[in-house]
Amino acid sequence: MTTILSSYPLFHNAALAAGTHGHQASGSPKAASKPLVTARKHKTPTSMEASGEGEAIKVSIRRRAPAGHILVSRAAIARLSPGMNPMAALNQSPGINFQSADALGASTWGTQIYMHGFAQKDVGVTLDDMPLGEMTYRNYNGVNPTLAVAPENVAGIDVSQSAGAEEVAASNNLGGSLAYRSIDPAHKLGASLQQGFGSYSMYHTYGRIDSGDLNPTGTRFYVSYLRNDQQKWKGAGEQFSQQATAKLIQPIAQKSALSAYFNYYDMHSYEYQDLSPEVIQKLGYKVDNYYNGKASGYLAAVNASKGIYPKGFDKLSDPLDASYYDGPTNEHGFMGYLKSDLTLTDRLKWVTTAYGHADIQKTGWNSPYFPSPNGSPLSEIVKEPSFRRFGILSKMSYDIARNHIGLGVWYENNSYQSSMWAYEQPNVVNGQVVGGIPNNLGHYGKPFAEIFNQNYNSNTFTAFVNDTYRPIQNLALHFGFKSILSTQRVGDGYMSSAYYGASSGSITSGESLTTAKAFLPHIGVDYRFLKNHDIFIDISENARTYMESGFKLSASPFAVTQAAYNMSRNSIRPEKDWTYAIGYRYSDHLMDASIYAYRTNYFNRLQQITSGSLLNPVSAVQNVGGITMNGVDAQFVIRPIRNLSISNSISYNHAVYDQNIIQQGVAYHTKNQQVVNYPRFMYKANLAYDWRSLSFYIEGNYIGHRNYDYSGQIHAPGYWLTNLGLQWHVKKPSDDGTRLGGVVKGLTVAFNLNNVTNQYYVATMGENGNPLDSASGYSFQSMILGMPRTAFGSIKADF
């Protein structure tokens, strides 16, 4: 029997935590005031919309399949805190759960997004059609969209739910897709500046210069620069990132254009210490790394390696793993594309995109298990993945009679190297740190040992064909299919016996796997009947390629020992699913009402099963069989008076494992348990109001409890989260032709308050994998807490 506590301590396990007492949290979840949510009356777009003051999230039914899309507008993103991850705008959408451990959602380690039970690894992501790869920490075939495009440069996001779209250039979109679109250069010479500031020394700076039309053909470009800088809300350490971006458009004739995009990104960030239910229950919420920017922090880490722990750590079953000295992330890279968008005739369109991308990462932690040669009991263990990828995608569309026909291909080659190294740390002599404390945000020197290495090479090819047929004006029948062929090979395997032990064996090397699916169908019906009623049906089959990662870091079948790979090779199959969805919407000028129901049958789910210590876990990748998901979303939006919008939505997702998991002859009772990390129930509400030059919103999310272990014995409790924002448009660019001071054509001052009620809650879960049951899960560290109350302000000027 499982007991869930909704106040501090956050977790309770009857078998392992009996008799443990905690204190009442000041921010324990409660239904305070009923915050409400926004959405304006939608119209049927043919492309992403990026305007509309005070507008939040536009939920719209396209007049082509797939019908159930969510369109996130430029205005929805602009109302967020300055520099905030645009995915936060999706948090008011039914069935979507975005979590972040830092104020801006910029950490690639501490953020997660789930859509209708699917984790972010199963969601395809693109930018202007260019694939961004699998959205994971230490990405092996792309980059997190927060680094690919600045929030101010995002024109909108087209979210395809559940079934996904066959034309998306992704090899992992089992659970839908996020199609980002960047803004285009303006036709007039101008500039934009935004300065944000807020809690925990947060500063966000953004600037953009638009050239305007340089000649009669309309050649134009912009260049922009972004800088984020903030301190951690607990512990110590800087979280810094910067981006430089340029985009060029060269129109051709009336309806065609060539475009180019380039983006450089650079991130250096100290991450939060991963926590376990035991750590939170016995030590509270403020436990973090020892790093504090001073010698005392390093001395505390050295003492811990010798068994001298801070107060309270002796209560833990494994105090050595509870905290480390630091956990840095360093990543930089550059990416870009060249695109031709050609309207060959009134009926025929051809779009081709060629792209390239290079990325280098250094992510690590300070290990008390592997001493440095100089006598220090610590060493910095650094994973150093890097990749280079090149690709091309080309698609055509043709309108004939009542048919809209599309076809296209995508090819990518990716060379990915995954390695881990050990770097020497300072010694301590007579209580003094020799040479000063280490700075592990990119300053490592020369490694003294190689821990592991694998080199991957993959070639991925997809193709699609579809047709949307309209027998009558208000009925669209869609049929299409996607084919995928991908070969992934791993070699040059090396694993240090000095680090992993003499009996550890060897790492997987000289192996390859192929994903080949010739026919993945997609069928859709979209019918608008009467005046304001829409109904749609969507059915699709999807498959994904195998994950790649460093040793023991994901559910990649390659990222294990050769012995573990040999044991699983006969059961490893490409993950695939069938998704069935049906939806209904009523819409008029006063209200929107919608319901969306879906069923997904997920096959050959590959899962990383983890136990043991965080530094050297016992990790295996298994085919855990199937998952059956049945869910429903319902949303109701009213607009009782002009410029006032009130929205409420509920989401229910019954996603359970179809079989028990058997590991080393032991059966774990996972059958019919809710999938890990995703809530069964969510409620969202929002109120937005525009009055003259002021725009106000308040939103609230209730996230139900989430399973931490596969057996469903440990839960993270449900919680309420409330945010509000206020914008004062001192002058809107669209007001008139005058300028403030003869220079400024637009000026906006904004204020945001996040987590208004100062809730303590678990944000990210499963970042290190999930345990099988309470016996291995109570002390396993794979949770990160969310931000407390934070306030932000910003000033934006357009010239």
Side-chain angles (χ1 to χ4, degrees):
M1 180 177 180
T2 302
T3 303
I4 304 168
L5 299 183
S6 59
S7 59
Y8 173 39
L10 285 179
F11 303 90
H12 181 69
N13 181 297
L16 295 173
T20 302
H21 299 283
H23 305 285
Q24 180 69 31
S26 60
S28 59
K30 58 183 179 180
S33 60
K34 290 197 175 183
L36 303 165
V37 123
T38 203
R40 283 191 176 177
K41 184 179 187 304
H42 78 278
K43 50 187 177 180
T44 306
T46 57
S47 62
M48 190 74 63
E49 300 194 41
S51 61
E53 294 295 333
E55 179 184 34
I57 295 173
K58 291 193 172 187
V59 180
S60 179
I61 304 300
R62 286 179 179 261
R63 296 302 168 242
R64 62 173 180 81
H69 280 224
I70 297 171
L71 302 179
V72 182
S73 69
R74 171 67 235 157
I77 298 168
R79 76 170 192 171
L80 299 172
S81 303
M84 188 71 181
N85 190 326
M87 289 185 194
L90 283 168
N91 241 355
Q92 282 300 300
S93 302
I96 299 179
N97 181 27
F98 173 76
Q99 299 283 359
S100 173
D102 68 296
L104 299 178
S107 167
T108 54
W109 175 249
T111 56
Q112 288 179 333
I113 187 168
Y114 283 81
M115 292 171 48
H116 290 140
F118 287 96
Q120 62 190 28
K121 70 180 183 65
D122 295 322
V123 177
V125 188
T126 62
L127 170 64
D128 300 337
D129 293 338
M130 177 179 61
L132 297 184
E134 185 177 308
M135 191 167 31
T136 62
Y137 187 63
R138 305 184 191 96
N139 197 307
Y140 61 91
N141 64 348
V143 69
N144 193 292
T146 60
L147 298 178
V149 58
E152 289 85 353
N153 289 346
V154 177
I157 309 173
D158 184 349
V159 185
S160 178
Q161 304 176 86
S162 295
E166 62 266 32
E167 67 268 21
V168 172
S171 59
N172 66 312
N173 56 325
L174 290 174
S177 60
L178 305 176
Y180 281 70
R181 186 171 64 88
S182 65
I183 61 172
D184 287 338
H187 286 279
K188 293 184 178 180
L189 175 66
S192 293
L193 291 174
Q194 182 175 30
Q195 181 61 57
F197 46 88
S199 302
Y200 306 103
S201 303
M202 191 283 285
Y203 292 95
H204 169 79
T205 303
Y206 170 82
R208 187 182 76 247
I209 298 175
D210 287 271
S211 69
D213 289 345
L214 298 175
N215 52 43
T217 66
T219 306
R220 60 194 188 275
F221 69 89
Y222 68 72
V223 292
S224 70
Y225 176 77
L226 173 149
R227 176 190 172 102
N228 283 328
D229 204 344
Q230 62 180 337
Q231 296 296 310
K232 294 168 59 179
W233 69 268
K234 65 172 181 174
E238 183 183 25
Q239 296 182 317
F240 168 85
S241 64
Q242 60 181 344
Q243 291 176 241
T245 307
K247 187 174 182 179
L248 168 73
I249 290 182
Q250 173 60 63
I252 302 174
Q254 292 291 324
K255 299 179 182 180
S256 300
L258 300 176
S259 59
Y261 179 88
F262 175 83
N263 181 64
Y264 170 79
Y265 54 88
D266 181 42
M267 170 183 282
H268 303 278
S269 175
Y270 280 115
E271 307 295 349
Y272 294 96
Q273 171 67 41
D274 303 292
L275 303 178
S276 68
E278 181 190 30
V279 170
I280 296 173
Q281 195 169 62
K282 294 181 179 179
L283 299 183
Y285 306 107
K286 296 299 180 72
V287 176
D288 200 56
N289 294 316
Y290 294 118
Y291 175 84
N292 61 4
K294 304 174 184 178
S296 59
Y298 187 75
L299 291 174
V302 170
N303 287 336
S305 70
K306 299 176 180 179
I308 306 171
Y309 302 108
K311 182 180 178 180
F313 276 52
D314 58 324
K315 302 176 184 178
L316 302 175
S317 58
D318 188 2
L320 188 59
D321 277 341
S323 289
Y324 314 125
Y325 175 65
D326 62 10
T329 291
N330 303 276
E331 182 175 6
H332 70 273
F334 53 89
M335 56 187 294
Y337 66 74
L338 296 173
K339 175 184 287 190
S340 66
D341 190 338
L342 306 177
T343 301
L344 301 179
T345 70
D346 290 341
R347 296 171 177 261
L348 180 62
K349 187 173 183 178
W350 182 22
V351 180
T352 300
T353 304
Y355 62 90
H357 184 191
D359 181 277
I360 299 174
Q361 304 170 50
K362 291 179 181 289
T363 66
W365 72 87
N366 206 273
S367 170
Y369 296 94
F370 200 60
S372 295
N374 64 356
S376 172
L378 304 176
S379 64
E380 189 77 5
I381 305 300
V382 183
K383 297 179 178 68
E384 302 187 18
S386 63
F387 65 80
R388 290 178 298 172
R389 64 187 183 116
F390 303 92
I392 186 168
L393 54 128
S394 186
K395 57 185 179 180
M396 303 183 73
S397 63
Y398 183 62
D399 295 319
I400 181 172
R402 299 178 180 271
N403 297 273
H404 179 79
I405 300 171
L407 57 90
V409 295
W410 168 49
Y411 169 76
E412 178 178 283
N413 173 264
N414 181 40
S415 178
Y416 164 58
Q417 178 172 321
S418 177
S419 62
M420 187 164 79
W421 303 81
Y423 291 81
E424 194 171 74
Q425 295 294 277
N427 205 352
V428 174
V429 178
N430 298 325
Q432 300 295 317
V433 182
V434 179
I437 63 172
N439 178 1
N440 291 315
L441 287 186
H443 305 281
Y444 291 108
K446 185 177 180 180
F448 69 83
E450 184 178 17
I451 308 301
F452 71 70
N453 180 77
Q454 286 177 301
N455 291 339
Y456 292 82
N457 189 271
S458 62
N459 288 281
T460 301
F461 174 84
T462 69
F464 76 89
V465 177
N466 59 32
D467 179 26
T468 301
Y469 172 61
R470 295 181 178 275
I472 55 177
Q473 181 61 33
N474 57 343
L475 174 63
L477 306 176
H478 178 91
F479 176 78
F481 71 91
K482 175 181 179 179
S483 301
I484 183 169
L485 175 63
S486 179
T487 300
Q488 297 163 275
R489 180 177 297 277
V490 63
D492 296 331
Y494 169 78
M495 187 167 67
S496 170
S497 59
Y499 185 86
Y500 291 107
S503 61
S504 58
S506 60
I507 197 170
T508 303
S509 185
E511 303 287 353
S512 66
L513 291 171
T514 297
T515 302
K517 300 291 180 182
F519 186 74
L520 298 170
H522 181 196
I523 302 169
V525 178
D526 185 10
Y527 178 46
R528 183 172 186 177
F529 60 100
L530 301 179
K531 183 178 180 181
N532 301 308
H533 302 263
D534 294 89
I535 188 171
F536 71 86
I537 298 171
D538 206 65
I539 302 171
S540 72
E541 182 184 16
N542 290 293
R544 63 156 297 155
T545 57
Y546 298 104
M547 297 181 67
E548 299 175 10
S549 77
F551 189 48
K552 301 183 181 181
L553 296 179
S554 76
S556 168
F558 303 106
V560 294
T561 64
Q562 185 70 55
Y565 178 86
N566 293 340
M567 290 181 63
S568 65
R569 71 164 73 226
N570 292 330
S571 62
I572 295 296
R573 299 288 184 275
E575 295 178 307
K576 66 176 184 177
D577 65 9
W578 277 94
T579 296
Y580 314 87
I582 184 169
Y584 164 80
R585 168 178 293 277
Y586 174 84
S587 180
D588 64 23
H589 67 286
L590 291 177
M591 62 172 285
D592 290 321
S594 65
I595 188 167
Y596 176 86
Y598 58 93
R599 176 184 176 89
T600 296
N601 295 111
Y602 198 145
F603 306 98
N604 303 323
R605 187 175 178 94
L606 300 181
Q607 204 70 54
Q608 182 186 23
I609 310 300
T610 307
S611 61
S613 73
L614 183 59
L615 286 176
N616 189 13
V618 178
S619 182
V621 175
Q622 291 184 210
N623 185 335
V624 297
I627 290 177
T628 300
M629 289 194 290
N630 293 291
V632 62
D633 302 332
Q635 186 174 46
F636 181 68
V637 184
I638 60 171
R639 294 170 289 274
I641 61 174
R642 181 178 176 85
N643 295 330
L644 173 65
S645 178
I646 302 171
S647 171
N648 288 266
S649 71
I650 59 172
S651 301
Y652 178 79
N653 175 278
H654 186 269
V656 297
Y657 301 105
D658 295 338
Q659 295 91 15
N660 291 328
I661 293 178
I662 299 176
Q663 188 181 41
Q664 296 178 345
V666 178
Y668 295 88
H669 300 290
T670 57
K671 185 176 181 179
N672 294 326
Q673 291 294 331
Q674 180 76 8
V675 298
V676 294
N677 306 326
Y678 187 76
R680 182 162 286 182
F681 177 79
M682 291 187 288
Y683 169 74
K684 304 182 179 187
N686 182 295
L687 179 148
Y689 183 59
D690 294 342
W691 182 72
R692 296 184 179 178
S693 61
L694 297 177
S695 298
F696 170 79
Y697 78 88
I698 183 168
E699 64 184 21
N701 292 345
Y702 174 74
I703 306 299
H705 75 262
R706 292 166 288 163
N707 280 358
Y708 179 58
D709 63 319
Y710 290 99
S711 300
Q713 298 171 356
I714 303 177
H715 298 162
Y719 63 90
W720 279 95
L721 202 62
T722 304
N723 305 316
L724 61 84
L726 177 66
Q727 290 182 324
W728 176 28
H729 306 285
V730 181
K731 186 182 187 306
K732 296 181 180 180
S734 58
D735 285 346
D736 51 46
T738 63
R739 294 174 181 257
L740 293 174
V743 177
V744 180
K745 69 177 181 180
L747 183 65
T748 298
V749 179
F751 172 78
N752 295 84
L753 186 63
N754 297 338
N755 194 359
V756 175
T757 56
N758 203 30
Q759 302 286 297
Y760 283 104
Y761 66 99
V762 174
T764 304
M765 286 176 57
E767 69 275 9
N768 288 309
N770 290 84
L772 277 169
D773 62 4
S774 60
S776 59
Y778 184 57
S779 60
F780 186 72
Q781 294 169 232
S782 196
M783 297 175 169
I784 307 178
L785 298 185
M787 285 287 296
R789 182 189 297 119
T790 50
F792 304 97
S794 67
I795 300 175
K796 181 177 184 295
D798 297 308
F799 303 93

